[in-house]
Amino acid sequence: MALVGSGVTTGGQMLSRTPMSLILAGMSAAQPSTPKTGPRTAKVGSTYRGVRVQVTDGRSRFTLDQIKRAVETAVVKNANALAGRTKA
Amino acid sequence: MRSPVGPKPNRARSVFINCPFDPDYKPLLRGACFAIMACGYAPRCALDYNDSGVVRFIEIVTMITACDRSIHDISRVELDRRSSLPRFNMPLELGADLGLRLAGPQLQRRRKSLILDAEAHRYDQTLSDISGMDIEAHSNDAREIIRLVRDWLNANREDGAPPLPGAAAINDDHDAYQAIAADIVGNLRLDPHDDLPHADYLHVVAVALPLIEAARAGAVGVLPTR
């Protein structure tokens, strides 16, 4: 089985299907700093419906890799239900 | 890969939450945090220090001053079940916030605050001095608190910023998150979702938001290998 997905949007337009690993890799990349009024911005984040998700500075018991894997697996497992193709 | 601990979000993107930390309130707190993150802001609260939320007042005030926006829930007016006494922590922290806004340093006078209660106009009896401020009733409904938080952040977004995602979309994505939360927790080999510690919950939501958006758009799937 191969995982595919695309959460990458630009200006509200969905791009072509992208391997999930590339989406997740992009979430670790440095983001352009949007807020201009503060001294520091979160460097880890991603985009949700056109807004950049801020990352908390609270300490987690898990690595980012563990969390990404856990979420990715759950999303893919429930992909049909989330897309409304089947009942959740 | 390193633990997902980033730098402190900047002041303009931070929202302080002053609310109860009891189990009954947890769905509302989690809904508020979900909405805040979906709108591109970072929720901050006493649970950032420890899971009990018991911290010194000086630390609370320090956290308030590090956030341009605050949400205060004054809905817990009932007497504590064990002590049969009221709890005053939430009104105290609201007072600290309002004091900063009204008479604090210039930097703090641009503060924006949302005051929440469970019932409309109940504050007329419990805290009448705040009459005339922005006070909304959430009816102890997580969907309603998501809508109120989103609408307030949208109304107070930076000049020129585009509108935030709609409340209906965020609520639907929150429902989607709830539907897969048990699987996420299971994949992390944790206890049921209600026991996911606050900091872990925030990190999970930060990762889940864009993936849920993609999945709901039908852009995530499982293809058979050749």
Side-chain angles (χ1 to χ4, degrees):
Chain A
M1 305 288 270
L3 308 182
V4 296
S6 176
V8 183
T9 57
T10 304
Q13 289 189 327
M14 188 68 70
L15 300 181
S16 59
R17 288 189 174 223
T18 309
M20 180 68 81
S21 59
L22 293 183
I23 296 172
L24 294 172
M27 296 175 72
S28 299
Q31 302 286 319
S33 61
T34 304
K36 296 175 181 171
T37 50
R40 294 182 290 186
T41 58
K43 289 183 179 172
V44 179
S46 189
T47 302
Y48 162 80
R49 298 191 181 277
V51 300
R52 194 181 68 178
V53 178
Q54 300 289 312
V55 175
T56 177
D57 64 332
R59 187 165 294 280
S60 173
R61 295 175 295 170
F62 304 98
T63 65
L64 185 56
D65 194 40
Q66 287 173 316
I67 292 174
K68 284 177 178 176
R69 204 177 315 123
V71 175
E72 174 193 349
T73 303
V75 168
V76 171
K77 176 184 171 187
N78 296 281
N80 284 340
L82 291 172
R85 291 190 284 259
T86 60
K87 286 219 168 208
Chain B
M1 192 176 287
R2 64 182 175 78
S3 177
V5 179
K8 280 190 172 60
N10 79 31
R11 176 192 308 276
R13 284 277 156 188
S14 298
V15 180
F16 174 76
I17 306 175
N18 166 29
C19 71
F21 296 130
D22 57 71
D24 289 345
Y25 193 84
K26 188 177 273 189
L28 300 180
L29 171 60
R30 298 236 155 146
C33 289
F34 192 94
I36 289 168
M37 298 182 76
C39 291
Y41 292 82
R44 308 285 309 277
C45 71
L47 294 178
D48 292 2
Y49 287 98
N50 59 59
D51 282 344
S52 71
V54 178
V55 297
R56 292 179 302 162
F57 185 60
I58 184 70
E59 291 167 329
I60 294 288
V61 173
T62 300
M63 188 176 282
I64 291 173
T65 61
C67 304
D68 269 359
R69 291 165 174 77
S70 301
I71 297 172
H72 301 271
D73 191 313
I74 55 170
S75 61
R76 278 289 183 277
V77 295
E78 302 84 2
L79 300 182
D80 184 80
R81 282 180 212 152
R82 281 180 296 180
S83 68
S84 297
L85 293 170
R87 295 181 61 82
F88 296 127
N89 286 341
M90 267 78 72
L92 172 66
E93 293 170 26
L94 169 60
D97 187 347
L98 295 178
L100 277 169
R101 187 166 116 192
L102 296 172
Q106 196 63 36
L107 183 64
Q108 298 295 336
R109 298 194 186 188
R110 66 183 185 194
R111 308 185 56 74
K112 304 290 184 187
S113 303
L114 171 65
I115 303 172
L116 298 173
D117 197 352
E119 303 170 22
H121 299 294
R122 184 170 61 173
Y123 62 86
D124 286 337
Q125 279 89 47
T126 60
L127 200 60
S128 58
D129 281 358
I130 62 171
S131 294
M133 298 182 183
D134 286 341
I135 304 159
E136 302 285 353
H138 55 57
S139 306
N140 292 313
D141 180 354
R143 290 185 69 86
E144 185 63 4
I145 210 167
I146 286 172
R147 185 186 71 78
L148 292 170
V149 168
R150 178 271 168 196
D151 287 354
W152 170 70
L153 288 172
N154 188 56
N156 290 287
R157 67 187 190 274
E158 293 92 343
D159 291 341
L164 296 174
I170 296 173
N171 258 314
D172 288 347
D173 290 343
H174 183 250
D175 290 344
Y177 172 79
Q178 300 274 59
I180 65 170
D183 284 335
I184 295 172
V185 169
N187 293 338
L188 289 169
R189 302 186 179 191
L190 282 180
D191 292 334
H193 180 254
D194 280 347
D195 293 326
L196 194 63
H198 182 72
D200 293 336
Y201 171 78
L202 299 183
H203 287 295
V204 165
V205 170
V207 171
L209 280 168
L211 293 178
I212 287 173
E213 180 194 0
R216 293 197 60 227
V220 172
V222 181
L223 296 179
T225 50
R226 292 180 198 175

